[in-house]
Amino acid sequence: MDKRIMIEGAMDLETKFLLDALKQTQEHLLGTWRFVEGWYKEVPLVVAVTAVGAANAAAATALGIEKFKPAAVISQGTAGGHDPALGAYDIVLGKQSFDASSYRTAQEDRADWQHMELMGAYAYEPDSGEFVPQAVYYPGDEVLLAAAHKAAAGYSRGRVVDGCIASCNTWNRQKERLQYLHDTFGSSCEEMEVHSAAHVCRQYEIPFLGIRMISNSEFREEDFQPETAQACQEFVLSVAQEIYRSYDCAGQLGN
């Protein structure tokens, strides 16, 4: 394993600044997923353009890990707010994440989305040789999180908070539902890729961190603000530099 860091983004909007910042680039197409190797200052990077959604993110993450053997993976981009205290340009560092579409409803005649229990995704366990349910919440890597905290000192466009990222292939805009997810499961924001990428990294035992910038909040009547995508990428590049500095002398992450 070398010191390369793989940074993922789903949309062109969420990867253009990263790609433009790379030097000495080499492009790869694995299946239909685009990967670009290069350097950002002293840091060797791979930028993965995953496309939108959990299935695409999982596939691109697995392909990228197999091809590039990264030392760490960051999934970054925009997100909608679940926490009413957060607004556009605030950053959520994924201290944990969960799949907001993996749940079991209560056994009852009427439909009520509030009566639901979160479930973990299934993953292969080498000891048992079986696919078994995993924990509902996946933690972000502590070393990567510490590096992001250092980078946060230089960010001035909003707040940077540790939070819980809810992933699902839905776009929730109902305030009551957003508030319920925040109050019940602790979600800070909502997007479509983080938890599936975290799930794959967990299988490969690759350090992982989700970073999401709030692009809009229904609680503040904000429209989607595309400029937040570049601001997030700028911040993530500073995080990558801090991660790179956290390598130990053997070239491995120090946890």
Side-chain angles (χ1 to χ4, degrees):
M1 182 181 294
D2 63 24
K3 294 184 178 182
R4 279 181 292 189
I5 300 166
M6 186 162 74
I7 302 177
E8 301 179 340
M11 301 183 292
D12 291 340
L13 187 71
E14 295 173 320
T15 54
K16 185 180 186 305
F17 186 83
L18 294 172
L19 295 172
D20 289 345
L22 292 182
K23 306 298 182 184
Q24 303 176 46
T25 59
Q26 184 176 359
E27 186 158 338
H28 306 263
L29 192 65
L30 304 179
T32 57
W33 290 277
R34 182 187 181 199
F35 298 83
V36 181
E37 289 183 277
W39 291 80
Y40 175 70
K41 298 183 178 179
E42 78 279 16
V43 185
L45 297 177
V46 177
V47 175
V49 186
T50 68
V52 175
N56 283 316
T61 302
L63 288 168
I65 290 172
E66 289 285 349
K67 172 70 175 178
F68 303 106
K69 305 297 190 294
V73 175
I74 298 173
S75 173
Q76 59 81 40
T78 58
H82 278 199
D83 183 345
L86 299 177
Y89 290 95
D90 289 336
I91 295 173
V92 177
L93 305 178
K95 191 173 182 64
Q96 59 183 9
S97 65
F98 69 93
D99 183 351
S101 62
S102 178
Y103 59 85
R104 178 173 56 193
T105 60
Q107 188 176 23
E108 54 191 6
D109 293 333
R110 65 193 183 95
D112 186 347
W113 51 263
Q114 292 191 350
H115 294 170
M116 54 190 279
E117 175 188 0
L118 290 181
M119 300 168 60
Y122 281 78
Y124 182 74
E125 287 287 357
D127 293 340
S128 65
E130 297 178 344
F131 282 84
V132 298
Q134 302 294 296
V136 170
Y137 295 93
Y138 286 174
D141 182 81
E142 289 295 331
V143 173
L144 306 189
L145 192 60
H149 288 161
K150 291 181 181 179
Y155 182 72
S156 59
R157 302 188 69 177
R159 301 171 59 193
V160 181
V161 301
D162 287 355
C164 179
I165 299 174
S167 287
C168 54
N169 288 335
T170 57
W171 188 333
N172 290 307
R173 302 195 65 184
Q174 298 167 332
K175 293 178 184 177
E176 182 183 4
R177 181 171 175 82
L178 297 173
Q179 188 72 59
Y180 171 80
L181 292 169
H182 172 64
D183 292 342
T184 306
F185 305 120
S187 55
S188 306
C189 63
E190 174 184 288
E191 51 74 64
M192 299 184 179
E193 296 84 30
V194 163
H195 193 70
S196 56
H199 184 69
V200 172
C201 286
R202 185 184 180 99
Q203 295 294 285
Y204 281 96
E205 299 183 335
I206 302 290
F208 174 85
L209 183 66
I211 299 176
R212 281 296 188 273
M213 181 172 288
I214 304 297
S215 59
N216 61 292
S217 171
E218 299 297 336
F219 297 107
R220 301 188 179 195
E221 308 294 340
E222 293 173 332
D223 293 327
F224 175 76
Q225 300 188 38
E227 297 82 4
T228 56
Q230 177 171 322
C232 186
Q233 292 165 77
E234 292 173 356
F235 175 76
V236 167
L237 286 174
S238 67
V239 174
Q241 288 182 289
E242 293 294 347
I243 293 171
Y244 187 80
R245 296 179 187 125
S246 72
Y247 286 112
D248 65 17
C249 59
Q252 303 289 325
L253 285 172
N255 77 330

